[in-house]
């Protein structure tokens, strides 16, 4: 309750504008750039079944198309420890595909290339843009990925090797100073990028 004088002016209310929502992007990439770029359908969540289906019906054909011969070699995959990625069904699918999954410590953003290398530049590219709908966001992200040179993606893997080396030297007692501004967050949308795939490590 608020006491007011009869002649007090009426309270002013600020008009709020509803957020345009989120777009979830799953990207598989190697040292040369994106292999598969998949936008999750609105209202759907990533489950073990959906993720496994993506691996078999989208990821494997994309590797066969863009990285000819890779499936006959060792495919090394790095992703986080979210439940859909660690579920028995997913593990079995990865085993059937003969993908080797690299170990990734929980909550280790400093050891995830998409966190320490890709989010920041993408954020800078999207900064200040206003998007009317999801299609505009997806188009902007796709355009940025296509325009980004291969050397950028290779550098992200090289940085990962350096950080792994530091972690091993310090016997696991390693935390890189992490700038929270590197998250890809902006007023209109939030793009969530989660996965990395690569074939071997650069020398």
């Amino acid at each position: 309750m608020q006491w007011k004088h009869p002649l007090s002016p009426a309270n002013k209310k600020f008009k709020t504008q509803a957020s345009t929502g989120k777009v979830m992007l799953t990207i598989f990439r190697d040292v040369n750039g994106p292999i598969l770029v998949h936008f999750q359908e609105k209202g759907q969540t990533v489950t073990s079944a959906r993720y496994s289906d993506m691996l078999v019906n989208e990821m494997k054909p994309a590797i066969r198309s863009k990285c000819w011969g890779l499936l006959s070699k060792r495919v090394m995959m790095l992703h986080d420890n979210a439940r859909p990625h660690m579920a028995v069904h997913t593990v079995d699918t990865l085993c059937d595909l003969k993908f080797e999954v690299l170990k990734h410590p929980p909550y280790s953003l400093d050891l995830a290339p998409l966190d320490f290398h890709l989010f920041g530049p993408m954020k800078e590219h999207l900064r200040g843009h206003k998007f009317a709908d999801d299609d505009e966001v997806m188009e902007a992200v796709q355009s940025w990925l296509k325009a980004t040179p291969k050397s950028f993606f290779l550098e992200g893997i090289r940085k990962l090797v350096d950080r792994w080396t530091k972690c091993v030297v310090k016997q696991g007692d390693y935390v890189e100073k992490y700038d929270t501004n590197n998250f890809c967050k902006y007023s209109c949308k939030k793009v969530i990028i989660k996965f990395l795939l690569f074939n071997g490590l650069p020398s």
Side-chain angles (χ1 to χ4, degrees):
M1 177 179 289
Q2 181 181 6
W3 294 98
K4 296 180 60 177
H5 189 276
L7 300 179
S8 297
N11 291 333
K12 293 182 179 180
K13 295 184 179 180
F14 292 97
K15 293 183 179 180
T16 58
Q17 185 175 3
S19 170
T20 49
K22 298 179 181 179
V23 174
M24 177 172 284
L25 165 67
T26 301
I27 176 172
F28 296 88
R29 46 149 291 192
D30 65 4
V31 295
N32 294 314
I35 296 176
L36 173 65
V37 178
H38 173 87
F39 291 94
Q40 191 77 12
E41 291 184 20
K42 205 173 188 69
Q44 286 191 352
T45 58
V46 178
T47 63
S48 176
R50 288 197 179 104
Y51 182 47
S52 297
D53 181 74
M54 186 190 308
L55 290 172
V56 174
N57 297 315
E58 296 183 56
M59 178 60 175
K60 185 177 179 180
I63 295 176
R64 182 180 291 111
S65 174
K66 296 184 178 181
C67 306
W68 186 85
L70 179 59
L71 290 175
S72 62
K73 302 177 182 179
R74 182 176 59 165
V75 175
M76 302 171 64
M77 183 172 175
L78 174 65
H79 59 192
D80 61 28
N81 299 308
R83 287 187 179 182
H85 316 152
M86 307 302 292
V88 173
H89 180 55
T90 302
V91 173
D92 290 342
T93 300
L94 291 167
C95 183
D96 292 340
L97 292 171
K98 298 181 180 179
F99 288 178
E100 178 182 350
V101 180
L102 301 174
K103 293 183 179 181
H104 180 73
Y107 315 113
S108 299
L109 298 178
D110 55 320
L111 297 178
L114 297 180
D115 285 316
F116 69 69
H117 186 70
L118 191 135
F119 282 152
M122 179 176 284
K123 174 184 175 181
E124 289 302 317
H125 174 74
L126 299 174
R127 186 188 301 276
H129 292 273
K130 300 295 182 181
F131 302 104
D133 53 36
D134 292 350
D135 290 337
E136 288 190 9
V137 177
M138 292 187 284
E139 183 179 350
V141 171
Q142 290 273 29
S143 297
W144 182 80
L145 289 171
K146 290 179 181 178
T148 303
K150 292 182 179 179
S151 58
F152 173 83
F153 298 99
L154 175 59
E155 183 62 24
I157 303 300
R158 285 178 171 162
K159 287 182 179 179
L160 173 63
V161 175
D162 292 338
R163 289 171 182 239
W164 271 349
T165 301
K166 291 180 183 178
C167 185
V168 171
V169 169
K170 294 184 177 291
Q171 299 180 358
D173 187 17
Y174 162 71
V175 177
E176 185 79 10
K177 289 184 178 179
Y178 189 75
D179 182 4
T180 55
N181 291 326
N182 283 338
F183 282 112
C184 181
K185 293 180 179 178
Y186 50 102
S187 59
C188 297
K189 294 282 181 176
K190 180 181 178 184
V191 179
I192 306 173
I193 304 180
K194 305 185 68 174
F195 308 105
L196 164 73
L197 173 87
F198 59 93
N199 177 29
L201 296 174
S203 57

